[in-house]
Amino acid sequence: CRKWPGRDGCSDDSCLLRQLYVECTPGFCPCQETCTNQKFQKCQYAHTEVKKTVGRGFGMFALSPIKTNDFVIEYMGEIINKKTYEKRKRQYA
């Protein structure tokens, strides 16, 4: 990473870790407090809420606009195979 005067750190192609989709480590990034590549560690999630929907279970809804490539939230849900996906798709259709 390179720290540029007047710009947020790690916000563009100057940050190798960002290009590799890896977060910078606090205390080791040369951009220090201006580093913008620590979304998980700083819990900088999009403003959302989870609500129950009619016939579809629960869903996550944005409470403010989310731009392309914005970090939303880390996924911590169930990972299913294609067979289970197809079964649930028919079940909830």
Side-chain angles (χ1 to χ4, degrees):
C1 300
R2 295 171 73 186
K3 189 172 181 178
W4 298 95
R7 290 181 23 195
D8 289 334
C10 304
S11 61
D12 57 19
D13 293 343
S14 68
C15 180
L16 177 62
L17 293 177
R18 182 181 287 279
Q19 293 174 34
L20 297 172
Y21 299 101
V22 175
E23 285 202 343
C24 294
T25 303
F28 291 97
C29 179
C31 297
Q32 300 168 343
E33 293 81 29
T34 65
C35 178
T36 60
N37 188 31
Q38 297 176 17
K39 302 286 185 182
F40 279 106
Q41 297 168 73
K42 293 181 178 179
C43 298
Q44 295 174 331
Y45 307 129
H47 193 202
T48 61
E49 71 177 348
V50 176
K51 296 191 292 188
K52 187 165 179 136
T53 62
V54 178
R56 302 280 182 186
F58 288 90
M60 185 172 75
F61 297 86
L63 298 177
S64 58
I66 299 173
K67 297 181 284 188
T68 302
N69 295 324
D70 275 358
F71 178 71
V72 178
I73 196 165
E74 63 182 307
Y75 179 73
M76 296 173 45
E78 179 182 18
I79 298 174
I80 59 174
N81 61 28
K82 185 159 176 79
K83 182 179 175 183
T84 303
Y85 159 74
E86 293 294 340
K87 179 181 174 187
R88 290 183 186 177
K89 186 171 80 169
R90 287 189 303 276
Q91 180 181 352
Y92 294 112

